[in-house]
Amino acid sequence: MGVSLKDVALRAGVSVKTVSNVVNNYPHVTPGTRERVQRAIDELGYRPNLTARHLRKGRTGIIALAIPELGNPYFAELAGAVVDAAAGHDYTVLLDHTDGLREKELLVSQGFRAQVIDGLILSPIELETEDLLARTEGVPLVLLGEREYDVPCDHIAIDNVAAARTAVRHLIDLGRRRIAFLGARHESARQPAHLRLRGWRQELTAAGLEPSETLVAATHGYGRRDGAAAMAALLDRGERPDAVFAYNDLVALGAMRELSVRGLRVPEDVAVVGFDDIEEGSFAAVSLTTIAPDKQAIARLAVDCVVERLAGAATTPARRVRPGHRLVVRESTVGRRT
Amino acid sequence: MGVSLKDVALRAGVSVKTVSNVVNNYPHVTPGTRERVQRAIDELGYRPNLTARHLRKGRTGIIALAIPELGNPYFAELAGAVVDAAAGHDYTVLLDHTDGLREKELLVSQGFRAQVIDGLILSPIELETEDLLARTEGVPLVLLGEREYDVPCDHIAIDNVAAARTAVRHLIDLGRRRIAFLGARHESARQPAHLRLRGWRQELTAAGLEPSETLVAATHGYGRRDGAAAMAALLDRGERPDAVFAYNDLVALGAMRELSVRGLRVPEDVAVVGFDDIEEGSFAAVSLTTIAPDKQAIARLAVDCVVERLAGAATTPARRVRPGHRLVVRESTVGRRT
DNA sequence: ATGAAAGCGCTAACAC
DNA sequence: GTGTTAGCGCTTTCAT
């Protein structure tokens, strides 16, 4: 099938070791030998077999990235950034998606395919602390996102509470008083939106406003459909907020669509703030104000963590890294500039 | 480091072969032996080393998927479908993105990382036929998308000309006469939008309308920004179409945003049809009429092709598969239903 | 500076 | 039914 080191060695009239030295740029090789070997390599079209190399070295050069779903542009954009960041360290990214289901998240975290990967970057939705503690696989795990765990794993996430407060503050500054939160979960036990919801409560309270639970709308997932449904439910039960802070941009965009269908204007009747800064939001008919996490930084830091652990920092205590974020003000809160 | 077959064999008091048989569910194993081995496996927490297995079998269980960019929801959704389809065959997907650049597409097609993968699914934008012919790597390659090549590779793509004609037909049926095309390339040499542009020409001609080149707007890429810019350019040079057929949904959405900014109504003033059926289109303030390729089918067929080639159909002539597509009519052409 | 040989963990012949 | 053995292609001591 393929051309092996041995074939090259035979052709060049040297030993495999010498060929290996040339391939790996080992310094102590006579220029003459090197050239002869190189010619044999070129003539035979030799390409090193990475699988064999990996078997030998115990590393595969592959990092797995497990996200809820590629259909969510935030994760798609993040995945792209991770692929780029990994390439910078000569790592390739293996992609898994969990659909935000605990079962799949468990599978991934417990080393499904762990033999092929050197590290794992996981963005969990429903996974629980005990699931993570039960982990036996040895590959470094880096956590991404809002969920908080008391486990010895590096964790990269922006300050969600602060970010949520900034968003709500912006709405309050605009004179809004009935500010709804879209994207809580029905079952309070597992509340992935925990921190953003907390930020919403804190900022309202700080402003002397009552964080009324009737203005919290639950969703099943975090897609456009969920946002539209939650907005509809809120309006159907007679609540009429003058602003909406959504768990993420997709929920916000779904809500805006529902508002538009019902003849309510954004931002005149209802101002909307999202979270994630997906490109789609900036091109919506009414562009979306949002919290922009620094995706490049998140991706870079996550890959860095994996690489560092691999480089031997296995014993260093788990790190908690908070990349930056900023509020991006667009039409959904301040209207179209003239 | 890890627990190996040998360790298990030692513990269970059998040979490695027997352990291997148990692990691989080889039928001829005494129940008693099997149980003893299984216990040893559980106690030691043995997990097979896939790298070694792959080295031995010459297969890695990994398929690479190379798409232009994850930031485009169409490709993100498609990638998700491919991951699922691959999982059905016990394959994992390695993701690469090419940014639609010939250089990166070349790299991928010529076997960058080819040692780690069993097959490659590539969606090219700028790659040329000669680039593909120069390919030396042996792993099966399946092509995706609109570009046409005269090379011996399986190719999965909907009938782009027919799909484009359907879209334009729809606009004509609605009484539109000045139908623009958004998304041609500036350089005519490389015209990825070739087929859709041809469909636009054919259908206009068939309807007795002149396909005026002044109604063709070029873009640099295929994002929202490009669509907005192309729409702006068209309007700026005094053209006032009553309908727009865009290369894809992102271009269409960008165009709609630009129309909205300029106070033109969709569909009253300008009807818009996109291509891809990304979820975003159905939740736009004015939902987007579009051509919906059967993404699940595309993904499934692509993976099937790779798997079949791997299973030994290496000699079978290249297949040209055309999954289905359909026109999804929404508000951007027929307005909001009452 | 280069060669010989061992072995990473696994599977597949072939023996018993 | 189970054990023995030989590699898959590579890197890595240890010699020379």
Side-chain angles (χ1 to χ4, degrees), chain B residues 16 40 60 84 91-92 111 122 127 179 188 213 236 238 240 242 255 258-259 267 270 274 289-290 303 309 333 338:
Chain B
V16 278
T60 65
D84 288 338
Y91 271 97
T92 304
L122 169 66
L127 209 63
I179 302 174
S188 60
E213 290 305 318
D236 283 345
R240 180 61 155 67
D242 58 11
E258 184 64 25
L259 288 168
V270 182
T289 294
T290 190
V303 172
R309 293 283 168 199
T333 53
T338 47

Side-chain angles (χ1 to χ4, degrees), chain A residues 9 49 62 76 78 145 159 209 253 260 296 338:
Chain A
N49 179 322
I62 297 177
L78 185 63
D159 187 335
L209 298 170
L253 289 162
S260 153
Q296 311 303 322
T338 47

Side-chain angles (χ1 to χ4, degrees), chain A residues 14-15 17-18 28-30 33 56:
Chain A
V14 297
S15 80
K17 167 64 172 150
T18 304
H28 306 294
V29 184
T30 311
T33 312
R56 189 61 236 236

